[in-house]
Amino acid sequence: MRPNLHIFMTTTFTESGLRPELLSAIQEMGFEQPTPIQAKTIPFLLSSEQDLIGLAQTGTGKTAAFGLPALHLTEIENKQTQTLILCPTRELCLQIAKDLNDFARHLKKINVVAVYGGASIETQIRDLNRGAQIVVGTPGRTRDLINRKRLKPNHIKRLILDEADEMLTMGFKEELDAILENTPDTKQTLLFSATMSREISRITSTYMNNPEQISVSGRNTAADNVTHLYYMVQAKDRYEVIKRIADINPDVYGIVFCRTRQEAKDVARKLMTDDYNADALHGDLSQAQRDEVMARFRTRQLQLLVATDVAARGIDVNDLTHVINYNLPDDPEVYVHRSGRTGRAGKNGISIAIIHSRESRKIREIERISGLKFKKENVPSGRDICSAQLLSLIDRLDKVQVDEKEIGPFLPDIYEKLEHMSREDLIKNFVSAEFNRFLEYYRNARDINVLASKRGDERERPARKERRGGDSGFSRLYINIGSTHNVTPARLIGVVNEALRSNNADIGKIEIMKKFSFFDIEDKLDDKLIRELQGKKFDGTPILVEKAARKDDHRSGGGGASRGGASRGGATGAPRKRRAPGEKRKRR
Ligand code: AMP
């Protein structure tokens, strides 16, 4: 039986009892005080062999919370593997190994080896052969190395499952089972997870023995620094919102979260085509491509990383200004996780959800589960954006470094040429030369906000009125029921939702006539809806639905109509220069 020790907290690293070599390393790294999860976990692990569940998100300092005790407890002269850390992705694996090596910089004889797929197994085997007291691995590669008898976990003292929920979501259950079979019963098992989901409860009961639970109260303390906003638009305007966010925040540095690889690819491709400083990170990229994208993002050569949740795991960047939810995840906890990527290390951050009119329910669900509060904001108008860009331009002008030596020889001619202009005209002309195309782009920008109805959700959508049949992305359908059948827009929407067994279909303009009606529906759903409604009745009337002929489309122009606007300058605060029309777009 293991003792069930009372958990005490340490308020300083010095009193935690960690070895002096570790204390000097973390002091050099600038860690002054333990974070809440460290304050609870470090003393516990130094004094107990009881299993432990740590509920903490990325960004709370959990790597040091388990890493420092693991290093402290390592028997340096013993070359066997004593700690095995499993985590879901290569990125996280490398990050943990790097953190541990940083902590161990004064403990020369400790070897930390990272093993993960997509890299030479031979090199990893050579590293293991040198004697790795701590191994950090992804489940697939770890199992492979155990099967080849290159990694021997039969003497480990502790097993650490980091981001355990994610390992299960990614389908590593079989690998985990196989790895665990090869580990001794006497080991201490530590499990870290952002959430206590049903899956986690399942693995704690399978893999753990009377675990103690530690959680960071009030979630991630960093979350206090995050403002949560949402914009409500039609589904087809999601992309336009990303552009406006980037345009009103010229120094944006953030992650755009997408639900699928395809979505991440599409959004990133569009942003790059429109000359934004963006790229994609998803599972279809080769490891080398992912490393390259991440390196550019870390060094801020990339401002917007368009990523799936899985690919974004393990990204450890502290000063993101924005997290943008291109689509909300189904699981509210995933939203909490995403938003925790910003507002870290004492900085403020903004997490934005782009939702369509029927997703306010999801916002409320996140608020309920997490205790976070969202603020509904209007998508910036063209005028707001122009004003922000103009200020940023003036700021750059004010701060520009003038190279007197280089520019000096040209100045006399320039002064002579501009002699006739007043100071005011000069400023006006310089600013306009830089800014005119931008103004042009946003001159007729549409208001893309959609208002929720008074009932607090959804049905009435003023923007629908603006829509003409033939909107791109929408199909116009005819249905043989109208006002004489007591059809109302709400009842019609009900018919559609019921047939599609979903509340998420984007429905556009509805025209109720006497004996029939027309309505717009997002075009990827039209065939399905026609199929589903076949044979159905409305108050006893057999329903007939078919595609209607399109009317002419006279949509007013607007922000998303044509490009020619803001170029996103490249790296590291270099002045942004807009691409002139016809000028070739710079590719990386
Ligand atoms: P993690 O949650 O382990 O990914 O850590 C998030 C970030 O916080 C990393 O950049 C750590 O280096 C940093 N960090 C962890 N613990 C501390 C601490 N006690 N003081 C300052 N920074 C820390």
Side-chain angles (χ1 to χ4, degrees):
M1 273 283 282
R2 292 168 176 172
N4 197 345
L5 291 187
H6 176 68
I7 294 178
F8 69 94
M9 284 177 58
T10 182
T11 48
T12 64
F13 280 119
T14 322
E15 74 177 27
S16 67
L18 287 169
R19 313 158 82 120
E21 296 92 332
L22 293 170
L23 291 179
S24 15
I26 54 179
Q27 194 185 13
E28 286 158 20
M29 291 168 73
F31 291 18
E32 286 170 8
Q33 260 193 323
T35 64
I37 188 83
Q38 292 163 2
K40 289 181 181 173
T41 309
I42 295 173
F44 178 84
L45 294 179
L46 294 192
S47 58
S48 169
E49 289 179 357
Q50 193 185 348
D51 286 353
L52 177 77
I53 300 171
L55 293 180
Q57 296 164 10
T58 311
T60 50
K62 67 182 159 68
T63 315
F66 64 72
L68 290 169
L71 288 163
H72 176 95
L73 295 166
T74 300
E75 294 164 20
I76 295 184
E77 299 306 328
N78 175 358
K79 294 291 170 207
Q80 285 174 333
T81 298
Q82 300 163 42
T83 299
L84 176 59
I85 304 171
L86 296 174
C87 62
T89 65
R90 167 191 157 121
E91 282 73 22
L92 188 57
C93 182
L94 285 167
Q95 187 62 49
I96 294 171
K98 180 185 169 300
D99 285 355
L100 263 55
N101 275 317
D102 286 344
F103 303 147
R105 60 174 72 155
H106 300 303
L107 289 170
K108 290 290 172 237
K109 288 187 181 161
I110 290 195
N111 241 345
V112 180
V113 170
V115 297
Y116 45 84
S120 156
I121 198 164
E122 298 305 327
T123 313
Q124 292 171 1
I125 290 173
R126 270 200 300 277
D127 290 342
L128 289 173
N129 286 345
R130 277 198 281 273
Q133 293 106 330
I134 301 184
V135 174
V136 191
T138 50
R141 179 58 60 97
T142 302
R143 178 164 81 161
D144 193 357
L145 285 161
I146 292 173
N147 288 347
R148 294 178 187 216
K149 308 227 175 315
R150 300 305 185 162
L151 170 60
K152 299 181 185 95
N154 43 335
H155 294 295
I156 60 165
K157 303 257 172 43
R158 65 202 64 79
L159 172 76
I160 302 173
L161 303 169
D162 193 18
E163 308 219 341
D165 46 350
E166 204 54 36
M167 286 197 276
L168 291 183
T169 311
M170 290 170 71
F172 284 131
K173 169 137 191 359
E174 206 186 303
E175 282 82 357
L176 291 180
D177 284 336
I179 295 167
L180 267 111
E181 233 172 65
N182 287 279
T183 59
D185 291 342
T186 49
K187 70 184 178 295
Q188 180 179 31
T189 302
L190 317 175
L191 178 145
F192 287 85
S193 168
T195 60
M196 192 63 196
S197 60
R198 229 176 313 133
E199 283 77 14
I200 289 299
S201 308
R202 227 180 6 241
I203 57 169
T204 55
S205 52
T206 317
Y207 297 141
M208 301 181 84
N209 181 15
N210 180 30
E212 183 63 64
Q213 185 169 315
I214 289 177
S215 60
V216 185
S217 65
R219 317 199 152 268
N220 186 352
T221 46
D224 295 344
N225 301 336
V226 180
T227 307
H228 300 266
L229 309 177
Y230 69 93
Y231 293 132
M232 192 183 279
V233 296
Q234 289 173 25
K236 69 181 178 58
D237 283 329
R238 281 183 205 279
Y239 175 65
E240 174 68 21
V241 179
I242 303 273
K243 293 204 299 183
R244 292 198 189 183
I245 293 170
D247 285 342
I248 200 157
N249 298 287
D251 293 321
V252 65
Y253 179 43
I255 305 179
V256 179
F257 280 100
C258 293
R259 282 159 64 115
T260 62
R261 294 170 186 193
Q262 193 54 47
E263 191 172 84
K265 279 187 214 171
D266 291 346
V267 172
R269 186 179 32 77
K270 281 197 216 159
L271 283 169
M272 287 190 278
T273 307
D274 286 342
D275 231 13
Y276 288 81
N277 186 11
D279 211 335
L281 187 76
H282 51 74
D284 285 350
L285 298 179
S286 71
Q287 207 47 74
Q289 287 169 320
R290 288 164 64 151
D291 290 347
E292 192 258 347
V293 172
M294 272 315 299
R296 280 191 293 125
F297 188 56
R298 277 207 186 89
T299 51
R300 300 192 79 143
Q301 290 169 57
L302 259 192
Q303 285 182 272
L304 288 174
L305 185 71
V306 187
T308 54
D309 290 293
V310 170
R313 288 265 145 188
I315 294 179
D316 184 36
V317 179
N318 270 341
D319 43 3
L320 296 185
T321 59
H322 288 73
V323 161
I324 303 167
N325 293 266
Y326 184 76
N327 257 308
L328 278 175
D330 289 328
D331 180 354
E333 293 286 0
V334 174
Y335 172 86
V336 177
H337 213 110
R338 288 179 177 182
S339 64
R341 298 306 173 109
T342 183
R344 293 168 73 166
K347 304 247 172 67
N348 291 325
I350 297 176
S351 174
I352 299 177
I354 306 173
I355 64 167
H356 69 64
S357 52
R358 261 161 270 153
E359 285 179 315
S360 35
R361 183 166 21 91
K362 279 193 176 179
I363 295 284
R364 287 195 292 273
E365 178 72 355
I366 295 170
E367 289 185 329
R368 193 178 61 75
I369 297 214
S370 65
L372 300 172
K373 269 273 158 267
F374 277 85
K375 217 164 112 208
K376 181 174 188 293
E377 292 238 325
N378 278 336
V379 181
S381 66
R383 197 190 162 84
D384 299 335
I385 291 167
C386 287
S387 149
Q389 285 283 347
L390 206 46
L391 282 176
S392 153
L393 169 66
I394 302 303
D395 204 40
R396 287 201 320 268
L397 211 63
D398 191 29
K399 294 193 182 129
V400 71
Q401 295 269 337
V402 176
D403 187 337
E404 301 278 358
K405 215 168 110 208
E406 288 293 320
I407 204 168
F410 302 99
L411 286 176
D413 283 350
I414 296 173
Y415 289 146
E416 198 185 321
K417 235 178 146 62
L418 298 177
E419 210 171 25
H420 66 283
M421 290 177 90
S422 69
R423 178 176 180 275
E424 283 71 27
D425 284 347
L426 251 178
I427 294 174
K428 220 164 39 191
N429 283 20
F430 262 102
V431 170
S432 300
E434 180 71 23
F435 201 59
N436 270 354
R437 278 167 303 213
F438 205 84
L439 284 172
E440 185 67 29
Y441 178 61
Y442 274 110
R443 178 165 295 140
N444 296 318
R446 283 179 301 141
D447 176 2
I448 57 174
N449 292 290
V450 168
L451 304 176
S453 76
K454 291 198 191 76
R455 281 181 291 146
D457 70 358
E458 53 276 52
R459 300 294 175 229
E460 184 196 339
R461 287 180 294 157
R464 186 194 293 144
K465 297 194 187 89
E466 289 158 21
R467 206 184 272 153
R468 304 279 193 274
D471 251 1
S472 66
F474 281 82
S475 256
R476 188 166 172 75
L477 298 186
Y478 158 92
I479 186 163
N480 66 328
I481 46 177
S483 55
T484 51
H485 305 90
N486 294 323
V487 168
T488 61
R491 289 192 81 191
L492 190 58
I493 290 169
V495 168
V496 172
N497 287 343
E498 197 176 312
L500 294 173
R501 289 177 289 280
S502 145
N503 282 338
N504 291 330
D506 207 20
I507 300 168
K509 186 177 181 184
I510 296 174
E511 286 175 276
I512 313 265
M513 320 301 249
K514 254 182 150 166
K515 295 196 173 154
F516 54 88
S517 306
F518 291 104
F519 62 99
D520 289 352
I521 183 150
E522 52 186 308
D523 55 13
K524 61 178 189 292
L525 291 177
D526 56 0
D527 288 329
K528 180 170 181 209
L529 181 64
I530 293 172
R531 253 192 339 268
E532 295 295 334
L533 281 172
Q534 248 174 26
K536 298 261 162 40
K537 290 186 177 169
F538 180 82
D539 288 351
T541 306
I543 293 178
L544 176 73
V545 186
E546 54 192 39
K547 288 185 192 169
R550 287 184 178 282
K551 291 181 185 172
D552 282 354
D553 184 6
H554 301 296
R555 274 174 71 192
S556 54
S562 68
R563 188 71 195 130
S567 129
R568 328 300 136 184
T572 54
R576 285 142 221 265
K577 177 83 181 79
R578 209 160 353 104
R579 181 162 55 98
E583 187 184 325
K584 240 180 142 15
R585 178 177 301 119
K586 261 208 213 118
R587 282 274 168 233
R588 287 167 279 113

